[in-house]
Every structure is written in C-alpha cells, then in structure tokens.
Amino acid sequence: MARILVTGAAGFIGMHTSAALLARGDQVVGIDNLNDYYSPQLKLDRLAQLSGKNGFSFQKLALEDRHGMEQLFRQHQFDSVIHLAAQAGVRYSLSNPHAYADSNLTGFVNILEACRHHRIAHLTYASSSSVYGANRKSPFSVEDRVDHPVSLYAATKKANELMAHTYSHLFGLPTTGLRFFTVYGPWGRPDMAMWLFTEAILAGRAIDVFNHGRMQRDFTYIDDIVEGVVRTNDLIPQAADPSTVENSGTAAPWRVYNIGNNQPVQLLRLIETLEQAIGRTAEKRFLPMQPGDVESTCADIHALQAATGFRPDTPIQTGVRRFVDWYRAYHGIPR
C-alpha cells in the first residue's frame, strides 16, 4: 500500500487515475481547485465517484497557494506524487494567459519544491503532445526537439519538463513527464471535440469542423492513459553514470514518455464513428484552422513499451461507443 498525492483529482484523468490506484489498495489524497473553466458540477460528480471509496480523501486547494501546498505536504507523508492538475485548453490560453502562468508555472514550482523538501520518491506529471508544436516529423518521438510550441499552453508544458529536469539534476528528485495524446472517454472534458460533437449531434445542431476536416489526432482512450500513468509512476527513474550518457542525453533521474494510441484518426472518420454510435447524422460546418492548433498528431510509443511492457490499443470504435453510452446515461438521454 502506498500513499499517493493526485493533483487534479476532480479532473478527467485525475478521477480515473485515483480510482485505479484505490482499486489496487493504495491510499489517495486528492486535491483540486474546482475552478469554473468548465462545469464545477461535473467535477463534483466525478469526486462523488471517489468519495465513498476506502482510502480516499480530498482537499480543495489551488496549486499556486504556496502556504496551502506546504501544509499539505507536512500533513501527509506521500510516497509519490502524480501531478495531473493544470490549466488546460489550447484556445483558452490565447485570451487568459495569466491562468496558465499561475497554475502551470507557479503551481508547478510549488509542486517541485514540496517534493524536494519532503523527499518524495517519485514525481510523475502530465505533459502534453502539444509540446511538439510545429514539428513536421511523424510519429512524434520523445527524441525529437520540441523547441517550437504554437500555444502558451504548450509552452508551459515544455517549461514543466525543463523545470523537472533541473530538480532531477540538482536535487536528485526522480521525475517522469507524460506527454498525453488527445485523451477521451467517459467523464471526459466538455471543451473537447468528443463531447462537443456528441452534444451537438444529439441536439440537432451543426458541428464546427476545423481545417475543413483535414485534421488527424492520435485519440487515446482513458483506460490506456491511466494504465500508462500507473505503470510509469511505479517505475522510478534512476540516475545514470555520466560517462555512459551520449552528448544529447542526461544522467539525471528524469524521463519523458509519450502515451498515445499510435493510430491517428482523421477528424471526419471520428465524426463518422460518432454518427454510428449515436445513430444520427451530423450537420457539418467546415471552418479554417484555429490559432494554436496543429494539423496532425501521432505518438511514437517505443520508449513507453520498452520501459513498461505496455502499449495502448483501445480501438476508436470501442472507445467512442463507451463514451456515447456514458454521455447518454449521465444526461438521462434515452437511446
């Protein structure tokens, strides 16, 4: 049994990760600021899925609350930290940059400092496929350079990886960054395409299809994401002998992995799959590419598979059907 801090426990990935840890017998302390970026009620409903489980406790707390974070770490002796809280959203970062600086930068420093001073054995944190930005090589490999982000959100996630490396190098704090690729599934986020499309199709409204449908995303089902999070959190990075490290490498106990399905799906194909699951045809409104978006994503998962033996593999048809079934049940919409 381990005592694990999960930040963002009321979030999509945080709720599912907490449930998986509890199911195997770990104790989970969850925190979340329950902000109104999207429906706080959805976050409370997620927490309700956890609140009755043995070994779970929750505290409302913002990452940027330095004093509150210090108290939290003094109160509990965490074995590891799974840091999933962040201000999410690419387009929102265009109009609300300070929210990203507060949560994703200041908040991450508070996490690093707390882990350092309380000798946390391992910090696993959410990065994002968005760090690949304008990268044209596909699939995206953790060996690729990620120097050209195209949104502030992506820049903060790249900054998190750099900050984590600094703490791994200077203080020997083992850290693992996880670059998630377009996560979807039950209890997902209302600002993501899967939810927006499903909501509009069921309501008989037109859906916005950006870049005229010429987009591809490496849609990754939530269960695969959680499996990757739990496995990598159990795998504590070790420092290497500097003499054995290549020029571009690091001897610090620092790792980064992609977690993606390695099967990009064209946006129009996703819509067809949703139409089949819902039983209705979507009215499409074709629009140009939005600022901050990229045309295609695809994860190279060789590093993840080599380290953990795990390869995400949930087919898009299966995942979409599960999401639509959950969405109907959550909103009381009959089939």
Side-chain angles (χ1 to χ4, degrees):
M1 179 188 297
R3 179 179 290 258
I4 301 173
L5 171 64
V6 176
T7 73
F12 174 31
I13 302 174
M15 183 210 81
H16 284 280
T17 299
S18 297
L21 294 169
L22 293 167
R24 72 175 193 175
D26 292 329
Q27 291 185 334
V28 174
V29 176
I31 66 168
D32 202 292
N33 67 358
L34 301 175
N35 68 21
D36 61 358
Y37 169 64
Y38 61 81
S39 167
Q41 186 59 53
L42 175 61
K43 299 175 184 181
L44 292 173
D45 291 343
R46 291 188 187 124
L47 282 177
Q49 307 301 304
L50 302 171
S51 60
K53 296 182 182 293
N54 186 43
F56 180 74
S57 62
F58 176 77
Q59 180 176 336
K60 183 179 178 181
L61 181 64
L63 298 174
E64 56 268 32
D65 180 351
R66 180 176 173 182
H67 178 66
M69 292 297 293
E70 290 174 346
Q71 282 189 318
L72 176 74
F73 276 77
R74 281 199 302 269
Q75 181 182 353
H76 302 280
Q77 293 184 336
F78 297 119
D79 296 296
S80 64
V81 173
I82 299 179
H83 176 52
L84 302 172
Q87 178 57 60
V90 169
R91 291 171 195 152
Y92 188 71
S93 68
L94 301 178
S95 56
N96 296 275
H98 292 291
Y100 294 78
D102 292 342
S103 180
N104 301 7
L105 299 178
T106 300
F108 194 65
V109 170
N110 289 341
I111 287 286
L112 288 169
E113 277 290 279
C115 288
R116 167 197 173 192
H117 289 293
H118 292 271
R119 300 188 181 278
I120 300 302
H122 188 197
L123 167 63
T124 303
Y125 63 95
S127 185
S128 168
S129 63
S130 67
V131 300
Y132 291 105
N135 183 18
R136 296 184 180 277
K137 174 180 165 290
S138 185
F140 299 163
S141 168
V142 293
E143 304 298 329
D144 295 341
R145 294 184 62 177
V146 287
D147 298 329
H148 303 99
V150 295
S151 71
L152 180 63
Y153 169 71
T156 64
K157 289 299 186 178
K158 163 71 172 179
N160 287 171
E161 295 181 4
L162 295 173
M163 294 155 73
H165 181 269
T166 301
Y167 274 68
S168 295
H169 172 74
L170 290 176
F171 309 116
L173 171 65
T175 66
T176 298
L178 303 175
R179 295 172 179 172
F180 298 142
F181 281 69
T182 315
V183 190
Y184 75 102
W187 296 101
R189 279 173 29 204
D191 61 325
M192 299 292 284
M194 199 75 66
W195 183 299
L196 293 170
F197 287 170
T198 300
E199 181 179 56
I201 293 170
L202 284 167
R205 300 195 309 268
I207 62 174
D208 291 337
V209 184
F210 294 110
N211 198 29
H212 305 281
R214 295 188 295 270
M215 307 272 277
Q216 286 193 113
R217 288 290 181 271
D218 200 347
F219 291 99
T220 312
Y221 189 63
I222 183 61
D223 289 0
D224 290 332
I225 291 289
V226 170
E227 185 71 19
V229 172
V230 172
R231 289 199 187 206
T232 52
N233 187 64
D234 289 343
L235 188 66
I236 301 177
Q238 302 298 313
D241 181 345
S243 66
T244 66
V245 177
E246 296 180 0
N247 290 338
S248 60
T250 178
W254 175 91
R255 301 291 184 273
V256 173
Y257 299 105
N258 289 331
I259 305 184
N261 206 45
N262 191 233
Q263 296 288 331
V265 175
Q266 191 173 49
L267 192 55
L268 291 177
R269 173 64 180 136
L270 170 68
I271 295 169
E272 290 175 3
T273 306
L274 272 171
E275 290 172 330
Q276 292 167 4
I278 294 170
R280 299 186 188 180
T281 301
E283 178 187 348
K284 305 171 189 67
R285 181 167 50 233
F286 292 97
L287 298 170
M289 180 89 86
Q290 294 292 287
D293 273 352
V294 297
E295 189 165 314
S296 180
T297 64
C298 178
D300 181 334
I301 53 174
H302 284 102
L304 175 71
Q305 191 170 8
T308 68
F310 172 64
R311 180 184 182 89
D313 62 359
T314 302
I316 190 71
Q317 296 89 343
T318 301
V320 165
R321 185 179 67 252
R322 291 174 182 169
F323 172 75
V324 170
D325 288 347
W326 168 83
Y327 185 93
R328 284 184 182 275
Y330 181 71
H331 291 93
I333 302 172
R335 292 191 62 82

